[in-house]
Amino acid sequence: MKNTANFDVIIIGGSYAGLSAAMALGRSLRKVLIIDAGNPCNKQTPHSHNFITQDGEQPAVIAAKAKAQVLKYDTVQFLEDKAISGERSKKGFTIKTGSGAKYSSKKLIFATGIKDIMPKIKGFAECWGISVIHCPYCHGYEFRSQKTAIMANGERAFHLASLVHNLTKKLIILTNGNANFDDTQLSKLNQNGIEIIETEITEMEHQNGQIQNVVFKNGKKISLDALYAGIPFEQHTEIPVTLGCELTEQGYIKVDPFQKTSIKGIYACGDNSSMMRSVANAVYTGNMVGAMVNKELVEEEF
């Protein structure tokens, strides 16, 4: 870390989105500081898919390669620390980290991802990202034609059912309580032979994260190879909200088509501001942010 505290741009979050933004900015000769706490949401996921040129690669390997390439641009620095607070300054923004240091910048980018809120089901967290998964496009091919369940309810479960049924006909829905489908949805699910089980779930029996059985409150169990789960989330950091950034009804940071937040000079990219939760989308939105932030800086300076 070079001895400087003033930057053109501070990027909070150093995974795919943050690194993608930093590359675009580094290639535009911008002084950039990436602050990253080293806690990616996909740390348990063994392989990343549906990202061309990197299909099947380990997520950490992709991130390490990206970091090495980005840091070849000598105006970009990477700080292993946690951003804990932020405030406006006369020239932009100031970020304080867990180590007590302060850094200032003209522009601020949040690439902080989201934090999944795990249900109180024994074994669920251990399986998350391995055999308990969230996205048919990211993981579905690997579990094609296998015994699969969807743990969700209502519109979320119905939406997933249509996608997953395309990959496997060995499919059931676990609503973990009373089902919440309308008559049209129930008719369509029945038409496609998809069973609905409403009994409360108490445990995911597994072997090193590979699910084997779902155990219900009544003592019954069913064997599975994979389970899709729609679970709630929260933002990894409260700093955007404390700086005035709006959130959507779903809890994402609200951005316009160019990834601008509701606060001038602050941008967001990746999972924290998009329902499209994938490596490819994180890289795309990060690249967009880098270009837009540089454009804003150029217009202010020219």
Side-chain angles (χ1 to χ4, degrees):
M1 177 82 185
K2 298 174 184 176
N3 186 23
T4 180
N6 300 306
F7 297 86
D8 292 321
V9 186
I10 291 176
I11 301 173
I12 302 177
S15 191
Y16 315 113
L19 290 168
S20 182
M23 177 171 281
L25 289 162
R27 291 181 59 80
S28 297
L29 307 180
R30 296 298 175 185
K31 288 175 60 180
V32 178
L33 175 64
I34 306 167
I35 303 174
D36 184 73
N39 187 32
C41 65
N42 63 357
K43 55 184 176 290
Q44 285 192 176
T45 305
H47 301 284
S48 176
H49 293 283
N50 206 32
F51 180 29
I52 198 164
T53 75
Q54 301 294 326
D55 191 46
E57 185 57 273
Q58 296 175 42
V61 171
I62 300 174
K65 184 176 181 180
K67 180 180 176 182
Q69 291 179 348
V70 168
L71 293 183
K72 287 181 180 178
Y73 297 94
D74 59 11
T75 59
V76 179
Q77 299 182 52
F78 194 101
L79 173 65
E80 294 182 5
D81 205 343
K82 183 177 182 179
I84 59 172
S85 66
E87 59 184 21
R88 292 176 179 272
S89 64
K90 290 184 178 180
K91 294 185 178 180
F93 306 93
T94 299
I95 296 296
K96 183 178 180 180
T97 68
S99 64
K102 288 186 176 182
Y103 304 93
S104 63
S105 65
K106 300 172 185 175
K107 308 295 178 185
L108 195 56
I109 298 173
F110 287 98
T112 42
I114 55 176
K115 181 180 179 181
D116 297 300
I117 302 173
M118 300 293 164
K120 294 179 181 179
I121 297 174
K122 184 180 178 181
F124 185 99
E126 290 81 357
C127 295
W128 183 242
I130 300 172
S131 59
V132 175
I133 51 183
H134 78 286
C135 173
Y137 296 105
C138 297
H139 308 289
Y141 182 85
E142 283 63 46
F143 293 104
R144 66 194 183 281
S145 302
Q146 297 187 41
K147 291 182 292 183
T148 303
I150 293 170
M151 193 185 84
N153 208 336
E155 183 59 37
R156 172 63 173 165
F158 186 77
H159 170 70
L160 275 172
S162 63
L163 294 173
V164 179
H165 190 258
N166 178 61
L167 297 166
T168 179
K169 302 302 183 280
K170 302 173 184 176
L171 178 63
I172 60 174
I173 293 177
L174 311 177
T175 58
N176 198 28
N178 293 333
N180 185 25
F181 299 107
D182 60 33
D183 291 342
T184 301
Q185 291 170 335
L186 285 171
S187 176
K188 183 68 73 172
L189 293 170
N190 184 62
Q191 178 184 324
N192 285 282
I194 300 174
E195 181 184 2
I196 301 170
I197 298 177
E198 299 177 279
T199 311
E200 185 179 340
I201 299 167
T202 58
E203 183 178 356
M204 308 284 182
E205 294 181 341
H206 67 96
Q207 186 69 38
N208 297 321
Q210 178 54 56
I211 192 169
Q212 295 176 323
N213 299 294
V214 168
V215 183
F216 298 98
K217 190 174 183 179
N218 60 12
K220 294 182 179 180
K221 62 174 69 177
I222 56 171
S223 63
L224 286 177
D225 298 306
L227 182 140
Y228 291 85
I231 62 174
F233 69 89
E234 61 187 11
Q235 291 290 328
H236 250 137
T237 175
E238 296 181 356
I239 300 175
V241 173
T242 62
L243 288 172
C245 296
E246 293 181 34
L247 300 182
T248 67
E249 290 183 3
Q250 296 79 21
Y252 297 102
I253 299 173
K254 187 176 182 179
V255 293
D256 72 5
F258 300 107
Q259 305 298 132
K260 293 182 180 181
T261 72
S262 56
I263 299 299
K264 183 175 175 57
I266 303 180
Y267 290 71
C269 53
D271 294 349
N272 65 13
S273 50
S274 174
M275 295 178 66
M276 292 294 293
R277 190 175 184 180
S278 70
V279 175
N281 187 64
V283 170
Y284 160 70
T285 56
N287 185 259
M288 171 72 79
V289 162
M292 290 300 104
V293 169
N294 183 63
K295 177 177 180 293
E296 195 169 280
L297 288 166
V298 165
E299 289 173 349
E300 292 171 359
E301 297 165 353
F302 188 69

